[in-house]
Amino acid sequence: ALRKLLEHLWKHHGYRRMAWVSGPRRNQESQERETVFLEYLKENGLPVLPGLIHEGNFQRSSGRAAGRELAKTREAWDVVVAANDLMALGLQEILGTSAPITGYDNGLASRQAGLTTVDPQLALQVQTLLERPRESSSPTGVDGRLVIRRSCGCHPVAEPQHQAFLAADPFG
């Protein structure tokens, strides 16, 4: 689902210069998300700008720290993609809500802040795990879904192509 988010940022908004705030490098989820981010940029001929890749720790404070660094180079990036919502909210505290910022998790705070994010659909993943045969070791096959709100630069209520996303999100 992170690919869906990146596709939206590039194809809908035209954001080419994407900054990234990862989780801890030793965390498997963080590594997977960063790999998807970097692969997407390379596959689509978008620049990978090393000065715009920051390591966080999935905490709001690391989003603020990355935000302070990114504020110094505001003209170098179009959007900041954070590996989770807490860091994205920390970024918003420093960069403001007019800077395009996205997250990943779709937690309650992101809903209240109007954060564009990815909902990993954890409840559906758990349900799928519980319903499959015990001997199966394959992934659940449940993909996250893109939740479009204001923080990416969209005005979802005014843009009909986003109504399906809003309708699917009871907290949107």
Side-chain angles (χ1 to χ4, degrees):
L2 181 56
R3 286 184 169 277
K4 293 176 192 173
L5 172 65
L6 298 170
E7 186 83 2
H8 172 75
L9 296 173
W10 181 40
K11 300 289 175 137
H12 183 78
H13 294 286
Y15 298 145
R16 294 184 48 79
R17 300 169 304 158
M18 297 185 196
W20 172 254
V21 181
S22 73
R25 298 264 189 248
R26 65 189 175 280
N27 177 283
Q28 183 178 348
E29 276 186 60
S30 177
Q31 291 171 5
E32 290 170 0
R33 291 175 192 176
E34 185 164 338
T35 297
V36 169
F37 176 80
L38 294 172
E39 285 176 355
Y40 183 86
L41 295 183
K42 290 175 186 171
E43 290 167 7
N44 290 283
L46 300 171
V48 176
L49 304 166
L52 300 182
I53 308 288
H54 295 271
E55 182 177 1
N57 62 11
F58 289 139
Q59 300 299 314
R60 195 177 210 133
S61 59
S62 68
R64 288 192 295 264
R68 285 189 283 278
E69 292 301 311
L70 289 165
K72 298 173 188 173
T73 60
R74 178 58 184 103
E75 66 287 343
W77 52 269
D78 300 320
V79 62
V80 183
V81 180
N84 83 339
D85 289 350
L86 282 177
M87 292 188 302
L89 294 169
L91 286 158
Q92 279 186 333
E93 288 176 25
I94 300 301
L95 300 172
T97 56
S98 63
I101 297 168
T102 67
Y104 193 108
D105 289 333
N106 197 33
L108 180 59
S110 64
R111 295 172 190 155
Q112 294 168 339
L115 187 66
T116 295
T117 187
V118 171
D119 182 345
Q121 302 193 89
L122 294 176
L124 185 55
Q125 287 186 42
V126 169
Q127 179 182 354
T128 303
L129 279 171
L130 293 173
E131 292 174 353
R132 71 183 185 172
R134 269 184 194 254
E135 59 277 355
S136 175
S137 62
S138 62
T140 64
V142 175
D143 196 13
R145 73 181 171 89
L146 176 60
V147 180
I148 296 174
R149 299 192 181 100
R150 295 179 307 277
S151 74
C152 64
C154 280
H155 303 284
V157 175
E159 298 184 33
Q161 68 268 33
H162 301 313
Q163 291 301 315
F165 295 112
L166 287 174
D169 183 8
F171 301 99

